[in-house]
Amino acid sequence: MPGIVVVGAQWGDEGKGKLVDVFASKADMVVRYQGGANAGHTLVVNGKKTVLHLIPSGILHPDTTCVVTSGVVVDVFGILDEIKGLKNNDLLQNPKQLLISDAATVLLPSHKALDAAREASLTGEKKIGTTGKGIGPAYEDRASRRALLFGDLFDRETLRAKLELHLKEKNHLLETLYGQEPIGIEGLLAQIEQVARELAPYRCRDTSHVISKALKGNKRVLFEGAQGTLLDIFHGTYPFVTSSSTLSGSACIGAGVGPTQIQQVIGVFKAYATRVGSGPFPTELNDETGEKMRQNGREFGSTTGRARRCGWIDLPALRYAIRLNGITNLALMKLDVLTGFEKIGICTSYKLDGETLMEPPVTQADFSRVEPVIEWFQGWNQDLTKLTRLADLPRTATNYLDFIGNQLATPIDVLSIGPGREQTLWVKPLFNN
Ligand code: GDP
Ligand code: IMO
Ligand code: MG
């Protein structure tokens, strides 16, 4: 049962997409288990960039089955666009490559409209800075047991009845609370029916069964997390979080497999830290060093294009992520971005009211007050992006990595030194058995 979870250990955008694409060459199946099109996972192969939002990052490998499970909120218009984009590039030629669960939640334009209206109604520091993809409202519908499920799209009567109920409530909110235009049922129904016809080849009644069978048959199954640990709905920096659980445990819930099926949890993190949207970020650099990181790392959102906030690596937050996810192995991404910094900071602990904290404090009020304790390391000027051997890393980079590995007491198995698939240095190969 080689089930491996790949999970974001920071605030999202750690490079999960790249890593999953690299691993997927040896995987039989890649499974998305939570989130929706708020995710933006970037893959670069032979210099060509593909950004995926809902489709798992194994899709560039024709022999890898990609599964979208019931834990995901599926923007049916969005996923169809993604499918068409891939097909136009001679990818996803065989519909068997992609399975969408009948039990996945359908995300509709009304969810996006509500998400946008709510954000617009908040002011200043109260704004969450969502991606505007309708994620919160879609998960609300799931929790309140009124969501349309993917399987409903293929039953005319159920679809109409559920959509009527849905629009009755959403239009009331949109019109009376937010002063927005209502959404008409006939036009939307016709659009959904058209989309359903085009998505029918990808329909799968029971993805949990398909995944369990693969695991039982000793197939290699990767579970691809979206967002990151600190954005988790229960354990993140609430309310500045997303609306799903982003932790590794969520792979079991979202995909419908037992925890005993998971063999390894790989935590993905950048050599520094970024966050997009509001909320506490202790090591944030609002200066030219932060700007240099943003430019060197091209830290602009894959989904929204927003500038990402940048700062030094935060070990207390990473210790928390390792604990909450049960991370067994780490993948350190974007080491190349730190080339050219004379001194590199590592946040080793926080100070709060004279006390030293090795992990984030429990309350958000406290988290937003912590002072990062920074240790300084000498940087390097060597371009790392073309290295093919670990032994060729500059000594100062090795010192930096060794310090992080020791502090986190978890092996760093993979190093990434550029966005390309080949710009990956293996400390220890995955799936080596
Ligand atoms: P994800 O959401 O975790 O999949 O990450 P994103 O794709 O949103 O953001 C990561 C960005 O960094 C993308 O533009 C990747 O192409 C890029 N990237 C990934 N790994 C590396 C790396 O090692 N070095 C550099 N320079 N860029 C990388
Ligand atoms: P990937 O999978 C980074 C952030 C948003 C906002 C908060 C809530 O690419 O790492 P939402 O639209 O989910 O209601 O927004 O969560 N956010 C992400 N930040 N990477 C992501 O996904 C994110 N998905 C959501 O910026 O702060
Ligand atoms: Mg991203």
Side-chain angles (χ1 to χ4, degrees):
M1 48 87 191
I4 297 186
V5 181
V6 173
V7 71
Q10 295 164 317
W11 281 272
D13 301 327
E14 295 91 348
K16 300 174 292 295
K18 164 177 169 166
L19 195 74
V20 169
D21 169 62
V22 170
F23 286 167
S25 65
K26 292 197 177 170
D28 299 291
M29 197 174 264
V30 179
V31 178
R32 268 287 302 273
Y33 54 88
Q34 46 73 230
N38 48 349
H41 294 182
T42 316
L43 288 42
V44 179
V45 180
N46 298 327
K48 192 169 164 32
K49 182 163 137 176
T50 305
V51 182
L52 299 167
H53 301 286
L54 280 157
I55 294 181
S57 299
I59 204 69
L60 304 191
H61 302 273
D63 297 327
T64 304
T65 308
C66 288
V67 190
V68 176
T69 63
S70 57
V72 178
V73 286
V74 181
D75 174 343
V76 285
F77 298 96
I79 202 166
L80 186 59
D81 282 348
E82 266 182 64
I83 291 171
K84 286 182 177 166
L86 290 167
K87 281 179 154 180
N88 288 342
N89 283 296
D90 292 326
L91 297 159
L92 186 47
Q93 296 298 304
N94 178 358
K96 290 211 167 78
Q97 269 182 271
L98 177 66
L99 308 177
I100 306 172
S101 168
D102 255 11
T105 302
V106 171
L107 187 147
L108 294 170
S110 39
H111 293 123
K112 288 194 199 174
L114 262 183
D115 188 359
R118 278 193 192 145
E119 275 291 287
S121 73
L122 297 171
T123 47
E125 289 187 351
K126 292 232 160 24
K127 276 192 194 296
I128 291 169
T130 72
T131 58
K133 298 291 178 183
I135 307 300
Y139 275 115
E140 276 168 32
D141 276 1
R142 183 74 188 212
S144 64
R145 292 149 296 178
R146 64 189 67 206
L148 263 96
L149 304 188
F150 189 64
D152 295 335
L153 302 194
F154 306 97
D155 175 340
R156 281 197 105 178
E157 273 178 33
T158 309
L159 175 60
R160 178 178 276 278
K162 279 195 161 184
L163 199 61
E164 267 170 9
L165 197 70
H166 172 88
L167 286 179
K168 196 172 158 195
E169 185 194 48
K170 300 302 181 250
N171 279 339
H172 177 69
L173 289 174
L174 285 171
E175 280 185 284
T176 53
L177 203 56
Y178 299 113
Q180 303 284 315
E181 286 297 309
I183 297 170
I185 183 154
E186 297 307 329
L188 184 57
L189 192 60
Q191 284 177 344
I192 296 176
E193 282 177 341
Q194 175 58 31
V195 165
R197 275 190 289 277
E198 296 190 62
L199 291 179
Y202 307 100
R203 180 180 179 195
C204 176
R205 283 169 201 274
D206 189 350
T207 51
S208 152
H209 193 75
V210 172
I211 298 163
S212 298
K213 217 167 116 189
L215 287 164
K216 219 171 183 179
N218 234 15
K219 301 277 189 222
R220 294 159 162 181
V221 181
L222 280 177
F223 295 87
E224 176 182 3
Q227 292 79 55
T229 301
L230 281 299
L231 293 174
D232 181 87
I233 181 85
F234 298 114
H235 301 279
T237 56
Y238 192 89
F240 302 106
V241 293
T242 189
S243 297
S244 69
S245 173
T246 59
L247 303 181
S248 59
S250 178
C252 296
I253 312 290
V257 301
T260 47
Q261 301 295 303
I262 306 299
Q263 195 182 39
Q264 224 178 326
V265 179
I266 299 180
V268 189
F269 69 111
K270 289 184 208 193
Y272 48 99
T274 65
R275 172 164 205 168
V276 58
S278 324
F281 182 11
T283 63
E284 183 170 14
L285 294 164
N286 285 311
D287 57 12
E288 57 196 40
T289 309
E291 186 55 34
K292 184 170 167 179
M293 256 179 212
R294 188 172 303 117
Q295 295 306 331
N296 284 8
R298 304 216 163 95
E299 294 295 355
F300 298 90
S302 317
T303 298
T304 57
R306 287 180 292 177
R308 294 175 182 149
R309 300 156 67 192
C310 296
W312 297 123
I313 195 167
D314 182 331
L315 297 185
L318 283 167
R319 286 188 196 104
Y320 182 67
I322 290 169
R323 181 162 68 79
L324 265 68
N325 292 294
I327 290 171
T328 53
N329 311 72
L330 291 164
L332 190 153
M333 315 298 283
K334 303 192 90 157
L335 185 64
D336 55 298
V337 174
L338 292 184
T339 290
F341 287 83
E342 197 187 329
K343 284 188 316 170
I344 300 175
I346 295 185
C347 168
T348 51
S349 61
Y350 303 140
K351 283 268 183 227
L352 181 69
D353 300 329
E355 250 187 82
T356 300
L357 304 180
M358 299 309 279
E359 283 194 16
V362 181
T363 71
Q364 291 318 300
D366 282 347
F367 200 7
S368 52
R369 288 194 306 121
V370 298
E371 291 289 327
V373 176
I374 307 280
E375 281 198 35
W376 294 99
F377 287 74
Q378 206 191 319
W380 58 88
N381 286 315
Q382 191 180 332
D383 174 15
L384 308 184
T385 58
K386 294 187 183 61
L387 295 187
T388 53
R389 299 178 336 143
L390 278 170
D392 294 333
L393 281 171
R395 170 70 64 87
T396 44
T398 315
N399 288 345
Y400 182 71
L401 296 173
D402 287 348
F403 183 82
I404 293 170
N406 285 335
Q407 284 278 319
L408 297 177
T410 309
I412 300 174
D413 279 5
V414 182
L415 281 186
S416 177
I417 48 167
R421 207 185 246 177
E422 68 295 347
Q423 292 169 303
T424 312
L425 298 178
W426 298 94
V427 181
K428 183 171 151 249
L430 193 83
F431 290 138
N432 56 348
N433 48 357

